[in-house]
């Protein structure tokens, strides 16, 4: 097997360390000893954006919030799905993630951060949601491995009753908040359903070719 080469380490504010590795043409981001991301698996990250876009078809001047960037699969899928009048705000907690996208993973990034529809803010997506009122058509959240704060404990707030209410308040009427997860979570489904939004829980395969592990995405519409 091709050996894994360690390229860089970043500290997550309020969390652990993220390490970037290269193996052949692939990149891997590791949190503690768990693979948080692998550039070979992008199907469900892309589905987060494409399935949100299907639900919002026909709306003009869409404003999206994506948190966080990771390897940008969700962002690039969003840009392919959205019209020229759209605006996409990306909020990423770890500055090195954006440095890696512009550096060692530049080929994968494919210029998406320089698309005129995109703005990037370094910070906490929870804060961006908390400040917004009726602003977004879509909020796409893929910051942990599921609806609990894996990357940092403070992310737990995104998935509780108050965090869900804040996301709902940040949406325009008819807007959609979507949450990515490595698997189902019945308690989270229940919390979403009591938020006053219409909830659709979808199972998606990890790989773009429809194979690999099954991931869960919740779409909740205001
Ligand atoms: C699993 S990756 C996202 C994968 C992404 N959907 C893609 O297509 O590549 C999670 C990202 O969320 C970022 N993150 C974690 N907590 C965050 C927060 N509270 N606000 C913004 N970004 C956060 C991490 O640094 C990491 O870049």
């Amino acid at each position: 097997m091709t050996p894994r080469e360690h390229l860089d380490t970043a500290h997550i504010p309020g969390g652990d360390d993220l390490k970037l590795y290269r193996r052949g043409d692939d990149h891997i981001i590791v949190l503690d000893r768990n693979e948080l991301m692998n550039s070979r698996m992008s199907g469900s990250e892309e589905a987060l954006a494409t399935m949100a876009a299907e639900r919002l078809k026909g709306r003009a001047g869409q404003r999206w919030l994506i948190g966080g960037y990771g390897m940008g699969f969700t962002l690039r899928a969003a840009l392919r799905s959205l019209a020229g009048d759209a605006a996409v705000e990306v909020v990423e907690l770890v500055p090195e993630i954006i440095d890696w996208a512009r550096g060692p993973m530049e080929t994968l990034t494919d210029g998406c951060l320089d698309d005129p529809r995109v703005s990037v803010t370094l910070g906490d997506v929870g804060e961006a949601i908390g400040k917004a009122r009726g602003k977004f058509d879509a909020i796409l959240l893929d910051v942990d491995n599921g609806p609990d704060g894996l990357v940092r404990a403070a992310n737990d707030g995104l998935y509780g009753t108050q965090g869900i209410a804040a996301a709902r308040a940040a949406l325009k009427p008819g807007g959609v908040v979507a949450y990515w997860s490595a698997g189902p979570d019945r308690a989270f489904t229940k919390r979403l359903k009591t938020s006053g939004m219409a909830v659709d829980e979808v199972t998606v395969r990890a790989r773009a070719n429809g194979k690999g592990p099954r991931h869960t995405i919740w779409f909740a519409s205001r």
Side-chain angles (χ1 to χ4, degrees), residues 44-168:
S44 58
E45 286 84 357
E46 289 167 358
L48 183 64
T50 53
M51 295 176 87
E54 281 162 17
R55 286 162 171 76
L56 295 165
K57 224 177 214 159
R59 290 165 75 110
Q62 293 192 30
R63 293 190 75 171
W64 285 31
L65 173 65
I66 297 181
Y69 177 80
M71 292 186 179
F73 290 110
T74 303
L75 174 61
R76 288 185 293 280
L79 294 173
R80 288 194 293 273
S81 303
L82 287 167
D85 64 357
V88 183
E89 293 179 31
V90 176
V91 181
E92 171 53 54
L93 187 67
V94 181
E96 288 87 346
I97 286 277
I98 302 299
D99 297 341
W100 297 344
R102 292 196 185 278
M105 286 192 279
E106 191 185 16
T107 307
L108 183 66
T109 304
D110 196 22
C112 68
L113 291 167
D114 301 316
D115 187 294
R117 294 169 290 174
V118 174
S119 61
V120 180
T121 303
L122 293 175
D124 174 16
V125 71
E127 276 181 28
I129 291 171
K131 279 191 225 149
R133 287 284 174 282
K135 179 176 177 187
F136 296 109
D137 296 276
I139 300 173
L140 307 186
L141 290 175
D142 179 10
V143 294
D144 292 295
N145 227 19
D148 58 65
L150 175 84
V151 166
R152 56 176 209 146
N155 281 355
D156 271 341
L158 292 167
Y159 314 114
T161 307
Q162 283 185 355
I164 295 169
R168 183 180 184 276

